Amino acid sequence: KFGKISVPSEPFIGFIVSVIIVTILLLFFRYTKMGLAMRATAEDLHVVQSMGIKATTIYAISWVIACVVGVIGGILLGAVSGVMIPLAEVGGKAFAVVLLGGINSIGGAIIAGIILGMLENVAAGYLDPLLPRGGLAHVFPFVVMIIVLVFKPHGLFGLVRIERV
């Protein structure tokens, strides 16, 4: 309890662990040689290979980090909402969040997650009663994602990259 506010322990622990993991990842990508190599590989593969960095190693480490973060996220989400088949929908919503925030922006993904979560709840409260069977709240993040990507293909916070051929 925080004064008069009561917070369940599972979501609070999930929030704390998420903040710690995001902070560790931000520090890793910003201040370590491996993080710099990963960012450089994402930017330009040919330059990285010409500098002697093995891209296959970078890709392997990227997959390991993605798997570890995915496992931690699955454990935290399973603790909060229970493990069941509809939990797989979260992956699709996470994809919409990443595209909306910008592929190369961690902060953009965080802000986009908050925005889409609020818009999904607004859609559930105001738009679902308008339909006979409801369910618009589950589709609404993808509708927002498509609308934003039509007007800003790099997402809300992604970097515009112009390449001349």
Side-chain angles (χ1 to χ4, degrees), residues 109-159:
I110 293 170
I111 294 171
I114 293 169
I115 290 171
L116 277 182
M118 291 183 346
L119 288 177
E120 187 177 5
N121 285 326
V122 167
Y126 291 107
L127 298 178
D128 274 355
L130 300 176
L131 296 174
R133 291 187 172 187
L136 188 61
H138 297 295
V139 183
F140 199 70
F142 302 104
V143 172
V144 172
M145 177 190 72
I146 290 172
I147 291 170
V148 169
L149 289 179
V150 164
F151 296 106
K152 291 188 79 164
H154 53 277
L156 293 177
F157 302 100
L159 298 175

Side-chain angles (χ1 to χ4, degrees), residues 8 11 16-17 28 50 58 60 68 90 92-94 97-98 100 106 110 119 123 128 137 142-143 145 152 161 164:
I16 297 297
V17 171
F28 172 76
S50 68
I58 300 299
V68 169
V90 174
K93 290 179 185 179
V97 166
V98 169
L100 180 66
I106 295 176
I110 293 170
L119 288 177
D128 274 355
F142 302 104
V143 172
M145 177 190 72
K152 291 188 79 164
R161 185 172 173 161
R164 296 178 193 247

Side-chain angles (χ1 to χ4, degrees), residues 57-112:
T57 304
I58 300 299
Y59 291 147
I61 292 171
S62 299
W63 277 104
V64 168
I65 291 172
C67 290
V68 169
V69 170
V71 166
I72 292 170
I75 290 170
L76 294 175
L77 193 59
V80 171
S81 61
V83 179
M84 52 193 151
I85 299 296
L87 189 62
E89 295 174 6
V90 174
K93 290 179 185 179
F95 179 68
V97 166
V98 169
L99 285 181
L100 180 66
I103 295 282
N104 52 4
S105 174
I106 295 176
I110 293 170
I111 294 171

